[in-house]
Amino acid sequence: MGLLAFLKTQFVLHLLVGFVFVVSGLVINFVQLCTLALWPVSKQLYRRLNCRLAYSLWSQLVMLLEWWSCTECTLFTDQATVERFGKEHAVIILNHNFEIDFLCGWTMCERFGVLGSSKVLAKKELLYVPLIGWTWYFLEIVFCKRKWEEDRDTVIEGLKRLSDYPEYMWFLLYCEGTRFTETKHRVSMEVAAAKGLPVLKYHLLPRTKGFTTAVKCLRGTVAAVYDVTLNFRGNKNPSLLGILYGKKYEADMCVRRQMLRVTPWDDALQEMYNQKGMFPGEQFKPARRPWTLLNFLSWATILLSPLFSFVLGVFASGSPLLILTFLGFVGAASFGVRRLIGVTEIEKGSSYGNQEFKKKE
């Protein structure tokens, strides 16, 4: 193991990265709060500013994928589709099998200039997660309880508000509604068999209400649907903790651009990947851009200098009470960062899908 690889595994460095992300995120959230005053004056200026503020936060996570772990992302698509990336509003549907599938989606958003303006249909619980939910709130992200009778009006109203969004946006939807697990898949296929629907080997039964509503509300704004299937070479199952430890992964993303219509899951595509280790189509490796790294280094320079001065002052004081208080704060901070990472872990995901598939759609 080289020196750099060794350093990436050290808890102290993880804590410093987490410190930069959390503190910069709180600063960004405060600035976002201040921008609310712009909404009555210029809604579009408010939106443009918040796209850039969100970019400054999300790009730190993308930096971990691209520059810290050096994970590679390969696109399988055609040249005509690549040329449209970042130049049109689009709905993205993505399989939800991995802990870092959202991060692979974000790295593509970043490389084509739509990271700050990317949208998602998110579960309402995330609204109350510091940094993530708060930033999404200012970005006009649509939150739902995943109970259609209660969500219908909220979702429709939120989607229609985005019809005049000034920046090109990619609206991400997980049509399966929850992450794939063997338990959820078994329950889902029991429902499919009972309803006479095709049995899927690699996907959960799609929950189409969110997708059809998004397409209907954004018709005239969104130009196309990007049907995306994500896999990792070597049958790897990457995690955000793995990325933090500097593990390198190789992600393959098959992107098919289609007109606005319901797109069924394609088990044959997944079967081909499992057999051949690659998707059909031309291969593209969009170059990573320096902005994510420069953004993180800027925040690190601003925030770590006073932190180091403060730590030196604490230990130079020789006060046991002050030192113990500081160490307690470090422990609490590490716990908080670990909880934020836990939001992405599959085994700690919601139980949505285990029993919900048994209820009438």
Side-chain angles (χ1 to χ4, degrees), residues 14 35 49 86 93 98 209 235 254 263 288 311 313 360:
H14 300 166
T35 64
L49 285 175
I93 56 174
F98 306 99
K209 288 190 179 72
N235 200 29
C254 181
T263 306
R288 61 185 181 180
V311 172
K360 186 176 180 180

Side-chain angles (χ1 to χ4, degrees), residues 74-77 229-235 250-255 268-284:
T74 302
L75 292 178
F76 291 78
T77 186
T229 302
L230 169 68
N231 274 302
F232 287 88
R233 296 182 189 178
N235 200 29
E250 293 178 289
D252 289 333
M253 304 177 74
C254 181
V255 184
L269 187 64
Q270 183 67 52
E271 187 69 42
M272 178 184 296
Y273 188 89
N274 289 349
Q275 292 178 0
K276 298 184 177 181
M278 61 187 302
F279 289 117
E282 299 178 64
Q283 295 187 33
F284 299 86

Side-chain angles (χ1 to χ4, degrees), residues 76-130:
F76 291 78
T77 186
D78 57 83
Q79 184 64 43
T81 297
V82 171
E83 290 174 356
R84 291 177 179 271
F85 286 164
K87 298 176 183 178
E88 62 181 359
H89 297 298
V91 170
I92 314 293
I93 56 174
L94 176 65
N95 58 316
H96 205 9
N97 296 61
F98 306 99
E99 291 183 10
I100 65 166
D101 46 28
F102 76 97
L103 200 49
C104 292
W106 273 359
T107 193
M108 286 298 112
C109 287
E110 199 289 319
R111 295 183 192 195
F112 292 102
V114 294
L115 176 59
S117 58
S118 61
K119 307 296 179 190
V120 66
L121 185 62
K123 58 184 179 182
K124 193 167 184 178
E125 293 89 340
L126 291 177
L127 174 61
Y128 308 107
V129 176

Side-chain angles (χ1 to χ4, degrees), residues 8 42 76 119 129 149 152 182 192 207 218 294 307 334:
K8 289 178 179 180
S42 176
F76 291 78
K119 307 296 179 190
V129 176
E149 294 74 18
R152 181 187 291 106
E182 290 301 327
R207 309 180 76 88
L218 295 175
L294 293 175
L307 175 65
S334 62

Side-chain angles (χ1 to χ4, degrees), residues 59-359:
S59 65
Q60 294 181 51
L61 296 177
V62 173
M63 182 279 299
L64 289 176
L65 186 79
E66 295 183 340
W67 297 94
W68 186 264
S69 80
C70 298
T71 291
E72 295 182 356
C73 294
T74 302
L75 292 178
F76 291 78
T77 186
D78 57 83
Q79 184 64 43
T81 297
V82 171
E83 290 174 356
R84 291 177 179 271
F85 286 164
K87 298 176 183 178
E88 62 181 359
H89 297 298
V91 170
I92 314 293
I93 56 174
L94 176 65
N95 58 316
H96 205 9
N97 296 61
F98 306 99
E99 291 183 10
I100 65 166
D101 46 28
F102 76 97
L103 200 49
C104 292
W106 273 359
T107 193
M108 286 298 112
C109 287
E110 199 289 319
R111 295 183 192 195
F112 292 102
V114 294
L115 176 59
S117 58
S118 61
K119 307 296 179 190
V120 66
L121 185 62
K123 58 184 179 182
K124 193 167 184 178
E125 293 89 340
L126 291 177
L127 174 61
Y128 308 107
V129 176
L131 309 182
I132 298 172
W134 299 349
T135 302
W136 274 350
Y137 172 80
F138 294 109
L139 283 176
E140 304 171 77
I141 293 299
V142 181
F143 293 95
C144 62
K145 299 177 182 178
R146 300 197 287 197
K147 296 178 181 178
W148 185 242
E149 294 74 18
E150 299 179 31
D151 289 331
R152 181 187 291 106
D153 293 340
T154 302
V155 170
I156 291 175
E157 181 182 348
L159 289 169
K160 287 184 175 179
R161 272 203 309 268
L162 299 175
S163 61
D164 62 342
Y165 210 77
E167 308 260 341
Y168 287 124
M169 63 176 177
W170 285 1
F171 194 99
L172 173 63
L173 287 171
Y174 294 111
C175 287
E176 293 163 292
T178 186
R179 277 201 178 95
F180 183 100
T181 67
E182 290 301 327
T183 299
K184 292 176 182 178
H185 180 254
R186 176 179 54 78
V187 175
S188 175
M189 292 306 99
E190 288 175 0
V191 175
K195 293 185 175 182
L197 298 173
V199 174
L200 302 173
K201 185 177 179 180
Y202 302 104
H203 301 96
L204 304 180
L205 190 66
R207 309 180 76 88
T208 60
K209 288 190 179 72
F211 175 78
T212 54
T213 302
V215 168
K216 185 182 296 183
C217 292
L218 295 175
R219 190 175 295 277
T221 300
V222 167
V225 173
Y226 297 162
D227 179 9
V228 183
T229 302
L230 169 68
N231 274 302
F232 287 88
R233 296 182 189 178
N235 200 29
K236 297 289 180 64
N237 192 13
S239 66
L240 193 54
L241 274 177
I243 294 296
L244 196 57
Y245 275 84
K247 293 182 180 178
K248 181 178 179 178
Y249 302 101
E250 293 178 289
D252 289 333
M253 304 177 74
C254 181
V255 184
R256 297 178 293 183
R257 183 182 184 275
Q258 303 186 23
M259 301 310 293
L260 298 183
R261 58 181 177 85
V262 176
T263 306
W265 288 118
D266 190 348
D267 255 2
L269 187 64
Q270 183 67 52
E271 187 69 42
M272 178 184 296
Y273 188 89
N274 289 349
Q275 292 178 0
K276 298 184 177 181
M278 61 187 302
F279 289 117
E282 299 178 64
Q283 295 187 33
F284 299 86
K285 286 191 176 182
R288 61 185 181 180
R289 307 194 302 173
W291 312 124
T292 58
L293 181 62
L294 293 175
N295 174 74
F296 177 80
L297 292 177
S298 298
W299 278 113
T301 302
I302 294 169
L303 297 175
L304 293 183
S305 297
L307 175 65
F308 292 152
S309 298
F310 174 76
V311 172
L312 288 175
V314 167
F315 285 95
S317 71
S319 169
L321 179 61
L322 193 58
I323 293 174
L324 287 174
T325 301
F326 172 74
L327 292 177
F329 174 78
V330 170
S334 62
F335 176 76
V337 171
R338 186 64 185 81
R339 286 294 298 272
L340 280 175
I341 293 175
V343 172
T344 70
E345 294 178 346
I346 292 177
E347 63 269 22
K348 294 183 180 179
S350 71
S351 60
Y352 179 76
N354 290 333
Q355 298 298 327
E356 286 297 315
F357 282 112
K358 294 184 177 180
K359 298 179 182 179

